[in-house]
């Protein structure tokens, strides 16, 4: 299994644009709770409308591979390089990651051009101001990863880095680990045939990590959820039936537990997860509390 760490600020630019468009899990993220509203006020009406009018983000979801293949780490380098690629070169790069569920975007040239235009505007109007702070956090995170240990003990280290994703059952041939600042403290997974992209959060401070865990545990229903999966994993459907709660409530509790790193998450190729109590996180909590200040 080949493991690579994605070191490119362009991916964070892309993630932040995607977050603005989709507004996914905003209340569970460490960025300010009014991030969308404050960002809306910061960017132009023209850019906001153009983002709103995007029918889908299919090209953006696939563009992580283009960012990975790009020989330049800078944002300007990426957009300039992508604009020079022929449609044939783009198709060749993306085609290994397509399947019945992930198709090549229609009108590829237009989607590439729109992608570059929106990213450039987003960078100028939103991202440029925070680039130094975000870039510094991403670089520090990458430097703290023990590459030797990752190569020797890949799956265990991946679970640790992503705060819970266990992917051994997927038998991937390639894994790309991509640190993120905007999506802290959540990890995300994208499965592209036998290649897996795991977007994992830059670590918060020791105090913040301790608070995440203790707040997640300070709820009886979440403790019952953890207890139900202490010996064997459960699916989302299992938990809904077992707990007698609505899907929305189960989803809310699982996201809190995921954010705290208390769940071992076992993805499948059938688009569902198995969840299990991640006992090792209790050792982390002990250490975090001893160093709490």
């Amino acid at each position: 299994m080949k493991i690579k760490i994605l070191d490119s600020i362009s991916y964070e630019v892309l993630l932040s644009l995607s977050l603005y468009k989709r507004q996914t899990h905003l209340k569970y993220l460490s960025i300010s709770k009014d991030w969308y509203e404050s960002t809306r006020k910061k960017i132009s009406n023209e850019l906001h409308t153009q983002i709103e009018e995007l029918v889908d983000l299919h090209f953006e979801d696939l563009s992580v591979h283009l960012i990975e293949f790009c020989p330049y780490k800078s944002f300007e380098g990426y957009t300039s390089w992508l604009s020079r690629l022929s449609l044939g070169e783009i198709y060749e790069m993306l085609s290994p990651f397509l399947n019945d569920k992930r198709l090549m975007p229609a009108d590829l040239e237009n989607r590439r051009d729109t992608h570059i235009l929106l990213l450039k505007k987003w960078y100028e109007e939103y991202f440029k101001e925070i680039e130094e702070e975000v870039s510094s956090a991403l670089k520090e995170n990458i430097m703290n990863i023990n590459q030797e240990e990752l190569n020797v003990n890949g799956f265990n280290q991946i679970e640790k880095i992503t705060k819970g994703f266990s992917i051994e059952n997927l038998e991937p041939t390639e894994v790309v680990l991509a640190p993120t600042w905007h999506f802290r403290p959540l990890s995300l997974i994208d499965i592209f045939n036998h290649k897996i992209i795991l977007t994992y959060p830059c670590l918060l401070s020791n105090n913040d990590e301790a608070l995440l865990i203790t707040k997640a545990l300070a709820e009886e229903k979440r403790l019952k959820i953890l207890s139900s999966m202490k010996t064997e994993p459960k699916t989302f459907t299992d938990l809904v039936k077992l707990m007698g709660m609505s899907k929305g409530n189960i989803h809310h509790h699982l996201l809190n537990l995921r954010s705290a790193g208390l769940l071992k998450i076992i993805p499948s190729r059938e688009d569902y997860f198995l969840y299990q109590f991640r006992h090792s996180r209790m050792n982390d909590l002990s250490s975090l509390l001893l160093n709490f200040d």
Side-chain angles (χ1 to χ4, degrees):
M1 178 179 64
K2 179 182 178 183
I3 304 175
K4 179 179 180 179
I5 299 173
L6 185 60
D7 181 10
S8 173
I9 195 65
S10 300
Y11 186 56
E12 192 67 25
V13 179
L14 175 69
L15 284 176
S16 58
L17 174 63
S18 173
L19 180 61
Y20 186 84
K21 170 66 176 176
R22 289 171 165 147
Q23 301 177 49
T24 307
H25 305 328
L26 273 174
K27 69 178 182 179
Y28 302 98
L29 303 182
S30 296
I31 55 177
S32 62
K33 302 306 179 186
D34 64 346
W35 178 83
Y36 178 83
E37 290 75 16
S38 62
T39 303
R40 171 68 186 91
K41 294 175 183 177
K42 185 180 298 184
I43 66 174
S44 64
N45 289 332
E46 179 186 22
L47 176 56
H48 172 77
T49 300
Q50 288 175 321
I51 295 173
E52 287 289 296
E53 290 177 347
L54 265 181
V55 176
D56 59 61
L57 294 177
H58 292 339
F59 186 89
E60 282 65 33
D61 291 340
L62 286 168
S63 67
V64 60
H65 305 293
L66 299 173
I67 292 172
E68 180 193 352
F69 296 147
C70 179
Y72 308 103
K73 292 183 179 181
S74 69
F75 176 73
E76 183 180 354
Y78 167 66
T79 53
S80 177
W81 171 79
L82 182 56
S83 67
R84 297 193 302 269
L85 289 181
S86 69
L87 297 184
E89 289 172 320
I90 294 175
Y91 190 92
E92 185 177 351
M93 289 180 186
L94 296 183
S95 58
F97 313 111
L98 304 177
N99 52 41
D100 293 341
K101 296 179 181 179
R102 287 188 191 269
L103 305 176
M104 185 67 73
D107 194 358
L108 188 57
E109 183 173 18
N110 179 61
R111 283 300 286 114
R112 184 267 307 271
D113 294 345
T114 300
H115 171 78
I116 293 173
L117 175 66
L118 285 182
L119 276 188
K120 282 185 173 181
K121 286 186 176 181
W122 179 255
Y123 175 81
E124 287 296 328
E125 297 184 24
Y126 167 72
F127 197 89
K128 192 174 183 178
E129 183 179 316
I130 62 171
E131 180 175 10
E132 186 175 346
E133 176 188 1
V134 174
S135 180
S136 177
L138 296 176
K139 288 178 180 176
E140 181 181 1
N141 182 274
I142 290 172
M143 287 177 61
N144 287 336
I145 289 180
N146 187 327
Q147 188 69 59
E148 182 178 350
E149 183 66 22
L150 185 61
N151 292 331
V152 172
N153 200 9
F155 289 119
N156 286 340
Q157 286 300 302
I158 287 170
E159 182 185 329
K160 181 179 179 180
I161 291 168
T162 62
K163 297 174 74 172
F165 271 100
S166 177
I167 60 170
E168 188 170 2
N169 65 302
L170 298 177
E171 300 181 344
T173 58
E174 183 177 3
V175 175
V176 177
L177 295 168
T180 178
W181 184 86
H182 279 83
F183 276 86
R184 298 168 301 159
L186 285 174
S187 291
L188 310 170
I189 186 169
D190 279 301
I191 302 173
F192 298 91
N193 301 328
H194 286 285
K195 178 179 180 179
I196 295 175
I197 308 290
L198 281 162
T199 302
Y200 68 92
C202 292
L203 286 177
L204 303 172
S205 68
N206 283 348
N207 285 8
D208 286 338
E209 287 287 339
L211 287 170
L212 272 177
I213 301 173
T214 52
K215 286 180 180 179
L217 293 173
E219 162 61 60
E220 184 180 3
K221 291 175 182 177
R222 287 198 280 273
L223 291 176
K224 288 182 177 179
I225 289 173
L226 288 178
S227 179
S228 74
M229 56 178 71
K230 62 187 174 184
T231 56
E232 60 179 16
K234 298 286 191 299
T235 66
F236 180 86
T237 303
D238 291 336
L239 291 170
V240 171
K241 293 178 180 178
L242 185 65
M243 300 300 297
M245 295 161 55
S246 70
K247 292 181 179 180
N249 280 336
I250 292 293
H251 183 69
H252 166 72
H253 290 308
L254 287 177
L255 280 171
N256 274 286
L257 293 169
R258 277 181 59 178
S259 298
L262 287 163
L263 294 181
K264 182 177 183 179
I265 308 161
I266 308 167
S268 75
R269 294 191 178 276
E270 287 73 43
D271 295 331
Y272 69 87
F273 292 160
L274 284 170
Y275 299 98
Q276 193 163 11
F277 179 29
R278 189 164 169 250
H279 307 90
S280 61
R281 193 59 167 158
M282 293 297 95
N283 295 329
D284 294 339
L285 177 59
S286 177
S287 176
L288 289 167
L289 290 176
L290 288 172
N291 291 285
F292 195 90
D293 55 34

